[in-house]
Amino acid sequence: MSLWGWVLIACALSFAIKFAGYLLPRKAMDNPRMSRVAGTLTIGLLASLTMMNTFSSGQALSVDARIVALAAAAVALWLRAPFLVVVIAGAAAAALTRLTGWG
């Protein structure tokens, strides 16, 4: 099967899973355990996407300015800076790191 076939199958499965959520009874969705699980899954997915985008380049691992940018953004978050400041801190750290010739 070609890549496009797999993409179409993934799209169909994604749509089916999303549609199945509408078929669940309201009582199941009001369960506090379901809210905790959904919140935990969201955090896990976001963390894994962040790590994948930071440490990968194509199909290989890479160490470059993105790591410094992530560290700067993490420090800004730890200091409870507003989101725009976090983004600017990460971008500035990456730019300064690349300006020095690393990454």
Side-chain angles (χ1 to χ4, degrees), residues 12-99:
L13 284 172
S14 176
F15 180 78
I17 291 170
K18 176 92 172 169
F19 185 70
Y22 289 111
L23 300 177
L24 286 174
R26 181 77 179 161
K27 184 177 179 181
M29 297 308 292
D30 288 338
N31 187 349
R33 185 176 184 197
M34 180 66 80
S35 297
R36 285 194 313 269
V37 168
T40 304
L41 286 175
T42 305
I43 292 167
L45 283 172
L46 183 60
S48 65
L49 284 172
T50 302
M51 290 298 114
M52 186 199 70
N53 287 327
T54 301
F55 295 107
S56 70
S57 178
Q59 299 224 353
L61 290 175
S62 68
V63 177
D64 59 9
R66 293 177 290 183
I67 296 170
V68 177
L70 181 64
V75 169
L77 280 173
W78 182 65
L79 294 173
R80 300 194 184 273
F83 181 71
L84 186 58
V85 174
V86 171
V87 171
I88 291 172
L96 290 173
T97 304
R98 287 186 175 128
L99 186 64

